[in-house]
Amino acid sequence: MRLIDKIKEIEKYICENFEEWDLDDPVEEEYFEEYREISGVFEEDILSFEEKFNIILPDDVKALYRYKNGSKYLSILPCVIDEREMPFCLMSLQEIEKTKEYFQNRDALLTEFSDYFTNEDIDNMKDDRIKPYLFNKRWIPFAKYCDSCFLMLDFDPNKGGKEGQIICYIHDPDEVIYVASSITELVLEIIIEEMK
C-alpha cells in the first residue's frame, strides 16, 4: 500500500535527519532496532479495539496498525503543526487504551474552563470541523509528542468535519486544532511535503 511505502520513507528520513528535528540518533540509541522488531496487529486486535470504543477505524489507520503496532521512541510522524515542529511517535493500541483511562475519557466543552479560556480564546479556536471541546470521549489519541501533545482521531466531528479526521491536542497553552482529513493526507500531503 502507498501509505506504508511512505511510512518506510519517513523511517529512513528520520534516521538521517534526526538532528533537524532535535532528536537523538535513533540508530545509536537503538530506537530504530527496537522499532524494527515491532510487528503489526491481527484482525482480532483491531476488532476488539473498535468494539471497546464503539468505533470503526478508517481503512488507512487499520493498514498502518497492521504494519506496526506503535513506534516506541521512533518519531515516524514528524509534523509541523501551526508552525510548531512536533515529531510524533505512533502509540500502540494498548498504549491508546491506557491513555484513554485518564485522557479524553470524558466530555468537557471549552466553556467549562472559563478561568482558563477567555471568550476571545474560545472564538479564536472556533473551527466548523471540530466541536468546541477540550476533552471528548470520541477523540482517540494515537500519536504523542513529549507526553503532552497528541494527534487524535475524531469520531465526533462538527458539521464541517468528517468522521476519522485528524486533530491535534496541544498542551500549554491548551488548544485543539484541525490537522488533516485522514492519516493518508497527514502522511502524503503534510509530512512527505515537509520532507522535500
Side-chain angles (χ1 to χ4, degrees):
M1 187 187 184
R2 187 156 174 243
L3 174 69
I4 303 309
D5 293 340
K6 294 297 176 191
I7 292 288
K8 289 176 181 172
E9 278 179 38
I10 297 167
E11 295 164 4
K12 187 172 182 284
Y13 164 84
I14 275 295
C15 287
E16 292 167 359
N17 299 278
F18 59 91
E19 282 174 337
E20 282 173 39
W21 288 88
D22 202 19
L23 297 166
D24 294 330
D25 181 340
V27 176
E28 201 175 284
E29 297 291 334
E30 297 180 3
Y31 297 159
F32 190 64
E33 204 45 54
E34 283 180 35
Y35 172 77
R36 284 174 57 183
E37 288 169 17
I38 299 169
S39 56
V41 297
F42 296 107
E43 223 45 50
E44 53 266 32
D45 301 318
I46 290 173
L47 286 170
S48 97
F49 182 85
E50 290 178 324
E51 214 169 274
K52 179 169 183 150
F53 294 109
N54 191 24
I55 55 169
I56 301 288
L57 290 169
D59 289 344
D60 53 0
V61 174
K62 291 180 191 177
L64 179 57
Y65 277 93
R66 284 186 198 113
Y67 171 59
K68 290 282 180 189
N69 185 23
S71 67
K72 285 215 170 137
Y73 302 109
L74 191 71
S75 304
I76 63 163
L77 298 171
C79 305
V80 175
I81 296 173
D82 212 21
E83 295 179 13
R84 285 173 269 202
E85 287 188 357
M86 292 190 259
F88 288 94
C89 297
L90 183 69
M91 297 161 71
S92 68
L93 294 184
Q94 294 76 8
E95 261 185 289
I96 295 171
E97 287 187 23
K98 274 201 189 90
T99 303
K100 282 288 283 175
E101 288 171 12
Y102 63 87
F103 177 67
Q104 300 303 346
N105 60 348
R106 66 192 176 104
D107 293 334
L109 287 161
L110 291 165
T111 49
E112 290 175 44
F113 301 91
S114 54
D115 53 340
Y116 197 79
F117 299 110
T118 64
N119 287 340
E120 191 184 345
D121 292 335
I122 293 171
D123 274 349
N124 289 340
M125 272 191 263
K126 268 195 183 139
D127 185 322
D128 76 337
R129 296 167 292 193
I130 308 171
K131 289 191 176 165
Y133 286 89
L134 185 61
F135 304 114
N136 188 319
K137 284 191 236 178
R138 309 269 305 147
W139 291 350
I140 309 288
F142 69 92
K144 65 182 177 184
Y145 166 65
C146 287
D147 283 329
S148 61
C149 298
F150 294 87
L151 289 176
M152 305 184 293
L153 293 163
D154 180 1
F155 290 96
D156 183 26
N158 212 343
K159 55 187 180 301
K162 136 187 189 221
E163 192 165 296
Q165 67 190 3
I166 312 291
I167 58 178
C168 184
Y169 174 93
I170 299 172
H171 177 58
D172 199 16
D174 289 27
E175 60 179 321
V176 177
I177 56 177
Y178 178 85
V179 177
S181 66
S182 65
I183 196 93
T184 300
E185 185 185 310
L186 173 73
V187 170
L188 274 52
E189 294 175 31
I190 296 176
I191 298 174
I192 296 290
E193 280 308 303
E194 189 60 42
M195 282 165 44
K196 287 179 180 172

